[in-house]
Structure formats: C-alpha cells, structure tokens
Amino acid sequence: MKKHNMNSVPPAAVTLADNSWRLKKFHTRTMLSEKSGKKVIYKCAAMKEARLFIESITKAERINSEYLKGEFEVLSGTLKGDHIEYEYLPFPSLCMIIKSKLKQNQCEQADELLSRYVKKVRGLSSIEVHPEEFFSMIGHEARETPQSKVVCLTRGLLDLTPRNILVNTDNWIVLDNEWSFDFPIPVDFVLFRAIMELVME
C-alpha cells in the first residue's frame, strides 16, 4: 500500500497512532514533534484519499466547539494542507484520572468524577426522537429497530468519552472530533461506550 507523502511534517516526528486498518479515505496518522521549541501534535492524511476526511475534522471542531460550550471545551487545530496542527496539552485524560483514583482505592472520588462526566453529557442539547440515522449507521435495518423515541444528543458525537477528554482543573477539553455526525445519537449509547472503555482500561 503506497503511503501519502505528508508535506511539511518534520521527518523526526514520532508516530503516536496509525489507523492503517481503516479504509484509505479514513487512514490517518497522529504524530508528535517539536516546532519552534514547543511540542506539536500533527494529525495527518496518511493516504491522499484521506485529505477530505482531514478537512472535515477541522469543520467538525468548529461546530462541536459551539455545541459543547458551557460543558466542555474543544481542542481545535489549524489545517495546513494534508494535516492538522494542534497545540500539545500536557494534561491527563479523564480516563487516566479515574483509573488512578481506582488504583489508589479512592473509589468515591472516581465515582464523583464519573458522575460529573455523566451530568455534563446529559447537560448538552438533546432531543427525544427515534434515531433512524444512528440505527442505519450501526447496521440495523428499520424493521429490526424499536420505533420508540429515546433521548439523543442533537449532534452525533460518538467519541465523547473520558479517553478523549483532557482535564485541566475545571476545564474539560475534548479531543478527537473525527467521528462527529449531524444527526442525533442516543445519550445512553455515548454513556455505554464511556463505561465500556473505562472497564477495559
């Protein structure tokens, strides 16, 4: 498989993640390097087919920043050709903090953080609807899905989980806006993914 030449990304950059298992149009690579003495994160189109996907991420960041306002902040990057540049933030993820609290047998503090996360997610703009687009996306045919209405986030933020939230005191900063959709997804699905990831950690 021929790799895309990522222009202007320093050759000494360290690869943090490479989604080579994805379709070409979604194949991205996340890298860490230094620029002007500061650490910088690059999210790159690993294949030329993925450039449109990279562009869509920056658009999603702008929309999500407005949607999440009041509950979360969004780390937004700068699009530069075939990659996005982000400021490196040296903060732990919410997932790491909860994991650390549990290891130290500080279960009440871990529960408090998780409860705060749930409250923030439930505090976002929502709608009670039958989420047809969501069911279609996960492969359920209309005849197989219940027709009852459920509470949904008005924006489909699949990855709004503790693994993708950095915590700087009272600022909770959302990373990874790759999978953001403009249709509703069930709040309980987002929370289920969050709990599943925490259990796996």
Side-chain angles (χ1 to χ4, degrees):
M1 183 183 295
K2 186 177 180 181
K3 300 295 181 182
H4 178 48
N5 180 28
M6 293 167 289
N7 300 321
S8 70
V9 175
V14 176
T15 299
L16 302 177
D18 188 335
N19 301 309
S20 58
W21 49 270
R22 292 179 178 173
L23 296 174
K24 289 182 181 181
K25 64 181 180 178
F26 299 127
H27 185 179
T28 63
R29 185 176 296 128
T30 304
M31 309 177 86
L32 172 67
S33 188
E34 285 198 10
K35 185 177 182 180
S36 303
K38 295 183 179 180
K39 290 183 178 180
V40 180
I41 298 290
Y42 297 91
K43 186 178 285 287
C44 314
M47 310 291 288
K48 64 181 180 180
E49 293 89 345
R51 289 191 65 162
L52 284 177
F53 183 52
I54 286 291
E55 291 175 15
S56 74
I57 294 171
T58 56
K59 292 176 184 175
E61 288 169 352
R62 290 194 294 272
I63 298 170
N64 292 349
S65 181
E66 187 63 31
Y67 175 68
L68 295 170
K69 189 182 294 182
E71 300 295 348
F72 302 94
E73 296 179 16
V74 172
L75 177 63
S76 298
T78 303
L79 181 64
K80 296 194 175 181
D82 58 0
H83 69 273
I84 309 170
E85 292 186 16
Y86 295 95
E87 176 187 3
Y88 174 80
L89 300 180
F91 309 125
S93 70
L94 179 59
C95 181
M96 288 174 61
I97 296 172
I98 292 175
K99 182 178 175 180
S100 175
K101 296 294 183 188
L102 291 173
K103 279 189 173 181
Q104 297 170 39
N105 202 29
Q106 297 176 346
C107 298
E108 288 185 8
Q109 292 180 24
D111 184 61
E112 186 177 305
L113 284 166
L114 182 59
S115 295
R116 187 176 174 192
Y117 161 77
V118 171
K119 184 177 179 181
K120 282 179 170 289
V121 171
R122 292 198 183 280
L124 296 170
S125 174
S126 61
I127 185 173
E128 194 168 323
V129 67
H130 173 65
E132 291 182 23
E133 296 95 334
F134 166 75
F135 283 127
S136 175
M137 181 188 69
I138 61 174
H140 284 269
E141 295 183 14
R143 58 185 171 76
E144 298 176 338
T145 60
Q147 296 300 306
S148 57
K149 295 180 179 180
V150 294
V151 178
C152 296
L153 297 180
T154 53
R155 272 195 65 73
L157 306 186
L158 290 182
D159 286 334
L160 185 59
T161 62
R163 179 172 53 89
N164 293 321
I165 299 170
L166 299 183
V167 178
N168 178 21
T169 315
D170 287 332
N171 297 327
W172 289 30
I173 307 160
V174 174
L175 312 172
D176 198 356
N177 290 267
E178 288 188 7
W179 305 114
S180 302
F181 302 97
D182 59 2
F183 53 78
I185 63 167
V187 173
D188 285 346
F189 179 77
V190 175
L191 298 179
F192 165 76
R193 288 199 69 200
I195 299 296
M196 180 180 70
E197 286 182 0
L198 285 170
V199 169
M200 290 174 68
E201 284 289 328

